Amino acid sequence: FLQSHPDVMVIAVGDPKLLNEAIKRCNAEMLNRFQIIGASEIVLMDDPIEVALRRKKDSSMRVAIEQVQQGKADAVVSAGNTGAVLSTATILLGRIKGVSRPTIGTFLPTQSGKPVLLLDVGANIEGRPRFLYEFAIMGSIYSKQVLGNESPKIGLLNIGEEEGKGTENIIQTFQLLKNSTLNFQGNVEGRDVLLGTSDVVVCDGFVGNIVLKFAESMLGLLKAKIASHAQKGFFQKLAVMLMLPTLKHILKDFDYQEYGGVPLLGVNGVVIIGHGKSSPLAIQNMLIRAVEVYNKKINVSIESALQISAEHHSNDIN
């Protein structure tokens, strides 16, 4: 990563002894590209959010986010407790002007070959029309400026394609999106998410988290089915071995490491959140994603888009 990004300096936050040992394994020419900042506490994956916010004020997570708050860093990446990252970043960095609630998205593979951005996936259980509408705006900007989709297609996750389907919140959200300047494709059902007909799919965090966890489980099921088939006999095992290169290529699209991390959209700073089991490859891709989001000034575009939207829909958004 550092070799391909000569202007980037990495600030590593945590136990100085452990960090020094890890950094020493790097190429000697890269050692001066690191800065170490000590932190005496760690936010555990099962720590309640209030513990991260109120008790562990010298945690590596908080200290890292403070670097962005204080202007000493341009972005922060973390593979820690997602809820704690969300809450700490929102409180320390604040929200972009016009954002009601920050949102976390995730990338899912599709039949079209392009990933779909699904949001929200757990940051906001409540799905008020205003929140979902803002998620669509932020997701559209991210999809266009980072993923390169010129006119991102927006889908609203629902139980049917018809305009009048769904809860009252979903029906109201549909009207907001329909009357917006976004490339709104209408309602999409669960079966449509992985087709790739939408670049961004919007839903509340309750539904989105269920979809995400279900999608993650499919990879394990597929691997188990392949292994089970191989155990049925010699010819079945041979067939699996012959298909192994193709299977690895297909399964690569399901690998979270390829996407690195997901953006926390709506906070006044660049925050990339990674999987708790992030590998070195995943961390590298998180850093690459952070540089992209910072360089393309995603937050500036979000603020501008929300300001324009507010002027046009001041009486319509709840």
Side-chain angles (χ1 to χ4, degrees):
F1 168 77
L2 291 176
Q3 289 178 336
S4 59
H5 295 78
D7 298 328
V8 174
M9 168 77 74
V10 174
I11 301 173
V13 182
D15 184 325
K17 181 179 178 181
L18 294 177
L19 292 174
N20 271 307
E21 290 176 356
I23 291 172
K24 285 178 181 177
R25 302 191 197 109
C26 296
N27 187 315
E29 297 177 358
M30 297 292 131
L31 295 181
N32 63 348
R33 304 278 299 281
F34 288 93
Q35 177 186 349
I36 294 177
I37 296 179
S40 61
E41 297 174 302
I42 299 173
V43 175
L44 303 177
M45 286 298 186
D46 57 353
D47 274 345
I49 292 175
E50 57 267 22
V51 170
L53 290 175
R54 299 176 184 175
R55 299 182 194 175
K56 296 186 175 181
K57 294 191 176 182
D58 193 45
S59 68
S60 53
M61 178 187 297
R62 185 184 183 99
V63 173
I65 295 173
E66 284 175 343
Q67 303 309 301
V68 177
Q69 179 194 33
Q70 297 166 8
K72 297 176 181 178
D74 297 310
V76 61
V77 301
S78 174
N81 182 316
T82 299
V85 175
L86 167 66
S87 300
T88 305
T90 302
I91 289 175
L92 294 183
L93 304 180
R95 293 171 294 178
I96 296 172
K97 185 178 180 180
V99 172
S100 302
R101 299 281 182 88
T103 178
I104 299 174
T106 193
F107 300 104
L108 297 175
T110 71
Q111 291 183 26
S112 72
K114 297 190 303 180
V116 59
L117 176 59
L118 175 71
L119 44 78
D120 186 279
V121 293
N124 301 278
I125 301 302
E126 185 182 4
R128 289 175 55 182
R130 180 187 185 93
F131 301 163
L132 299 181
Y133 177 64
E134 291 175 7
F135 297 166
I137 292 174
M138 292 190 283
S140 179
I141 290 171
Y142 189 91
S143 181
K144 180 178 181 178
Q145 295 187 205
V146 177
L147 302 182
N149 297 312
E150 185 57 35
S151 181
K153 294 174 287 187
I154 311 297
L156 178 63
L157 192 57
N158 204 343
I159 58 172
E161 296 179 354
E162 299 83 359
E163 184 171 330
K165 283 287 184 75
T167 64
E168 186 60 32
N169 278 342
I170 293 296
I171 293 172
Q172 290 181 26
T173 303
F174 186 101
Q175 293 304 318
L176 288 174
L177 293 172
K178 180 181 178 181
N179 295 327
S180 73
T181 58
L182 296 170
N183 185 10
F184 181 50
Q185 303 292 297
N187 290 325
V188 296
E189 299 181 71
R191 64 187 176 189
D192 301 319
V193 175
L194 302 184
L195 291 179
T197 53
S198 298
D199 298 305
V200 179
V201 172
V202 177
C203 59
D204 63 57
F206 184 87
V207 172
N209 194 263
I210 292 173
V211 172
L212 171 61
K213 298 297 174 57
F214 180 77
E216 288 179 339
S217 73
M218 292 301 294
L219 179 58
L221 173 63
L222 185 57
K223 288 181 176 179
K225 286 291 186 180
I226 293 171
S228 176
H229 181 74
Q231 293 173 359
K232 291 182 179 180
F234 172 78
F235 291 106
Q236 288 86 345
K237 185 175 183 179
L238 179 61
V240 170
M241 290 179 65
L242 290 173
M243 288 191 63
L244 204 53
T246 300
L247 289 172
K248 285 184 177 180
H249 179 73
I250 293 172
L251 295 179
K252 185 178 180 181
D253 287 341
F254 291 84
D255 191 350
Y256 71 91
Q257 299 178 95
E258 296 301 316
Y259 303 110
V262 295
L264 173 56
L265 298 174
V267 295
N268 197 18
V270 178
V271 180
I272 305 296
I273 302 175
H275 198 287
K277 297 180 180 179
S278 289
S279 65
L281 174 60
I283 296 294
Q284 173 183 280
N285 287 332
M286 286 170 66
L287 292 168
I288 292 172
R289 190 59 50 82
V291 171
E292 288 178 337
V293 174
Y294 174 78
N295 285 340
K296 295 183 178 180
K297 303 185 184 302
I298 300 298
N299 290 346
V300 174
S301 298
I302 288 174
E303 182 174 344
S304 176
L306 288 174
Q307 182 178 350
I308 294 172
S309 172
E311 292 171 355
H312 285 83
H313 300 280
S314 57
N315 297 321
D316 303 326
I317 302 177
N318 299 310

